[in-house]
Amino acid sequence: GTDEHGLKIQQAAAAAGISPPELCERVSGLFRQALAQAGVAFTDFTRTSEPRHQRAVQHFWGALRDSGALYKGSYEGWYCTPEESFLPESQLAERRDAQGRPRKVSLETGHEVHWTKEENYMFRLSVFRDPLQNWLRDNPRAISPDPFYQCVLRWLDEDLLDLSVSRERSRLQWGIPVPNDPTQTIYVWVDALVNYLSVVGYPESHGVWWPAAHHVVGKDILKFHAVYWPALLLAAGLAPPERILVHSHWTVRGQKMSKSLGNVVDPATCVGQYGVDGFRYFLLRQGVPERDCDYYDEKVVKLLNSELADALGGLLNRSTAPSINPSNTYPRFSEPCFPKVLDSKEVKGMGRVSAEDYELVAAVASLPAQVDGYFEGFQIYKALECIAQCVRQTNGFFQRHRPWKLNQRDTAERLWLDTILHVTLECLRVYGTLLQPVVPHMADKLLSRLAVEPGERGLSDLMFLARYDGKPCPFEGRQLGPDTGILFQRLEKLETMKNRKQ
């Protein structure tokens, strides 16, 4: 959804010569479009200018007032409009503008700040230091990854100043008015944070979901989510969210993205160059939540060609080729060809199956639980690393046994060929199932080729190589789906792509 109130929206609309609602309608439409382009599905798209949200915010304000957490006070300080927050001197720097005049700016963002003095409602944040510390010490997984959890604990060791939670209405009309005080507008961050409640039915039906909520936030807004928001919730008689998952930023060739440097990466352009699945895979494979990650096009091309086009796509093509599987079926597994062992040291003297083959089977058998654990821990890049490693091992298995060299007219050779193909397709089925949240279209293409029905694509019943454990395999002997073509088209170097488009 979109957070639509505040001074910067009011100023941007005035500069564009349109009303704030018109600007928000247009910009929220762009966000919806970007989500659709990126293949992101959602159950709700919330806008903070909606009546349901306004009602929730006013009710939340009433709960804060009734608990005694608010008081009227005079406030002055350096205000940063783009960040919609007051900044202490320690977060400011002196810079000179184009005319050489000195000005104060935010140390973090470089945005100019202005001295502001006004009478506002204040929130007694200072009294919530101990409750916040207790909440975090009792819930060490409340904020992850751990470096951000430690960062919040350090903030709570410092003095917590009371927070200004309203603005003079004469200066800020584009926002939700303070109930029973038409001279004040509710501070945009208080308004915006309440959307986590309004979207689950606050104040009537939020109890079905709250506090079992996981927030996913950028590291630059951590203090608002991990200090101010839990304190506001406690003051309003509600529990903090169950988890706050924090991610870092993308740099471009080691530099922060900025309009002035002209190095801002446009997601729509990337989707056009690499496809929805390609772009999603790169971001999730390379994005490490606890540190900034670097983006450049050559890196994307190299990774996608290596892991999606060559390793995964190549494996599917080779293992379903008509030359080695003329009947186009899910081949049968032969226990005598691939006998079960309890210890890979027993492998010597077992015929064609090598120790590496048993290592592959063990690795893929443990992969679903491993991937599930990494997804739950917000370490998607580690889950994809494990899948990529198993794909490499499967390619090694296929290459090692050269099924294309086997004589299909020889019964023993045919059994061994079918077993190699069965193991390979079982591995591919697992990878296709696990990759669905990351590369939905490509995973669907892969699973359709293997004739895996929509109802057979869940994680809970993902049984790998059932025949190895002496159980029936529902896919064995099934006709494969029609050829779905190249799984992922190899990418050319960017210069070649640009020249071709021109």
Side-chain angles (χ1 to χ4, degrees):
T2 41
D3 157 23
E4 300 184 4
H5 291 135
L7 192 56
K8 66 178 173 184
I9 307 288
Q10 184 175 296
Q11 290 176 350
I18 56 176
S19 69
E22 285 174 298
L23 177 74
C24 293
E25 184 68 33
R26 190 174 78 204
V27 175
S28 69
L30 293 173
F31 274 97
R32 284 192 87 120
Q33 192 181 319
L35 291 167
Q37 275 183 322
V40 176
F42 46 86
T43 49
D44 201 324
F45 187 97
T46 184
R47 297 179 58 192
T48 60
S49 57
E50 293 171 332
R52 62 169 174 169
H53 177 70
Q54 181 161 338
R55 201 167 62 84
V57 170
Q58 289 178 324
H59 189 278
F60 189 81
W61 182 275
L64 294 177
R65 183 193 57 222
D66 295 347
S67 73
L70 302 178
Y71 66 93
K72 254 215 169 150
S74 183
Y75 196 88
E76 58 183 312
W78 294 104
Y79 192 73
C80 177
T81 301
E83 294 173 43
E84 296 283 15
S85 66
F86 282 99
L87 299 177
E89 285 283 351
S90 59
Q91 288 176 28
L92 302 177
E94 288 274 354
R95 296 277 188 274
R96 293 198 174 270
D97 63 17
Q99 286 73 42
R101 292 176 301 223
R103 61 191 184 104
K104 278 198 186 289
V105 300
S106 162
L107 201 56
E108 168 125 5
T109 64
H111 293 132
E112 190 169 358
V113 296
H114 301 279
W115 187 260
T116 304
K117 181 177 181 179
E118 57 184 43
E119 192 177 37
N120 301 141
Y121 283 94
M122 305 292 291
F123 170 64
R124 300 183 196 278
L125 181 63
S126 51
V127 304
F128 287 93
R129 185 172 157 186
D130 286 350
L132 289 174
Q133 286 177 327
N134 293 339
W135 162 60
L136 287 178
R137 295 214 168 104
D138 291 346
N139 299 279
R141 289 177 73 250
I143 299 168
S144 60
D146 187 63
F148 297 114
Y149 173 77
Q150 299 300 336
C151 174
V152 176
L153 284 178
R154 285 195 298 276
W155 283 336
L156 293 175
D157 280 337
E158 300 164 6
D159 284 340
L160 274 192
L161 303 174
D162 286 353
L163 185 67
S164 166
V165 288
S166 71
R167 299 286 175 266
E168 284 180 358
R169 191 90 185 148
S170 57
R171 214 162 60 83
L172 175 60
Q173 296 85 45
W174 181 238
I176 298 172
V178 167
N180 306 318
D181 188 345
T183 69
Q184 296 278 309
T185 299
I186 295 172
Y187 174 41
V188 65
W189 265 105
V190 175
D191 163 357
L193 287 163
V194 174
N195 99 87
Y196 293 119
L197 287 172
S198 60
V199 80
V200 291
Y202 181 83
E204 292 88 20
S205 53
H206 60 285
V208 177
W209 280 98
W210 200 266
H214 289 197
H215 297 343
V216 181
V217 305
K219 66 176 184 178
D220 53 326
I221 50 173
L222 178 58
K223 186 172 273 187
F224 293 96
H225 283 82
V227 178
Y228 303 160
W229 177 226
L232 288 162
L233 285 163
L234 291 169
L238 293 162
E242 195 172 281
R243 291 193 78 189
I244 299 170
L245 306 167
V246 190
H247 64 77
S248 298
H249 295 163
W250 283 98
T251 58
V252 176
R253 298 189 188 278
Q255 287 185 300
K256 191 171 181 178
M257 279 192 224
S258 86
K259 287 177 185 169
S260 56
L261 286 174
N263 66 347
V264 176
V265 176
D266 177 6
T269 305
C270 295
V271 167
Q273 284 169 348
Y274 312 121
V276 175
D277 283 348
F279 190 45
R280 286 167 63 113
Y281 185 82
F282 173 80
L283 293 177
L284 293 166
R285 173 80 168 88
Q286 295 284 301
V288 179
E290 49 263 58
R291 64 172 183 270
D292 288 353
C293 297
D294 204 35
Y295 178 96
Y296 51 93
D297 293 305
E298 296 86 343
K299 189 200 270 191
V300 186
V301 170
K302 190 176 175 184
L303 178 85
L304 299 185
N305 280 345
S306 160
E307 295 192 356
L308 296 189
D310 298 345
L312 192 62
L315 186 64
L316 179 66
N317 281 352
R318 293 162 82 200
S319 58
T320 55
S323 55
I324 60 169
N325 187 358
S327 63
N328 194 42
T329 52
Y330 209 99
R332 298 189 177 281
F333 179 87
S334 167
E335 283 100 332
C337 288
F338 207 122
K340 180 163 185 170
V341 294
L342 299 173
D343 185 348
S344 56
K345 292 177 188 132
E346 296 174 27
V347 170
K348 287 171 188 166
M350 301 228 30
R352 302 188 196 222
V353 190
S354 67
E356 293 100 317
D357 301 337
Y358 286 105
E359 283 164 20
L360 167 69
V361 168
V364 181
S366 64
L367 191 61
Q370 216 174 2
V371 166
D372 189 33
Y374 283 135
F375 267 65
E376 283 296 318
F378 198 51
Q379 292 180 306
I380 298 167
Y381 73 103
K382 284 191 178 176
L384 296 182
E385 210 171 83
C386 292
I387 295 171
Q389 171 61 27
C390 282
V391 172
R392 280 194 292 276
Q393 280 179 267
T394 316
N395 271 296
F397 165 76
F398 199 81
Q399 194 64 31
R400 199 160 46 244
H401 296 300
R402 301 173 179 268
W404 59 91
K405 295 270 190 187
L406 296 171
N407 179 1
Q408 297 189 31
R409 288 185 292 275
D410 180 296
T411 308
E413 296 265 281
R414 179 77 231 181
L415 282 173
W416 176 229
L417 169 63
D418 283 353
T419 302
I420 294 168
L421 294 180
H422 183 94
V423 171
T424 306
L425 296 193
E426 278 289 275
C427 290
L428 282 165
R429 183 174 64 82
V430 169
Y431 307 148
T433 304
L434 297 177
L435 285 169
Q436 288 174 111
V438 178
V439 283
H441 307 103
M442 206 176 86
D444 175 57
K445 211 170 170 183
L446 192 160
L447 294 170
S448 297
R449 179 71 176 105
L450 301 182
V452 181
E453 297 294 332
E456 299 171 321
R457 298 179 180 187
L459 182 65
S460 55
D461 52 358
L462 183 54
M463 177 76 179
F464 167 66
L465 208 59
R467 286 292 306 278
Y468 178 72
D469 290 309
K471 295 171 186 161
C473 169
F475 304 98
E476 196 175 56
R478 188 183 290 188
Q479 193 71 28
L480 291 180
D483 187 347
T484 46
I486 293 170
L487 189 64
F488 187 84
Q489 187 71 49
R490 267 187 73 80
L491 298 163
E492 299 161 349
K493 286 185 177 162
L494 207 61
E495 293 75 23
T496 319
M497 286 161 73
K498 281 177 180 165
N499 291 341
R500 190 161 286 186
K501 275 181 186 167
Q502 283 166 1

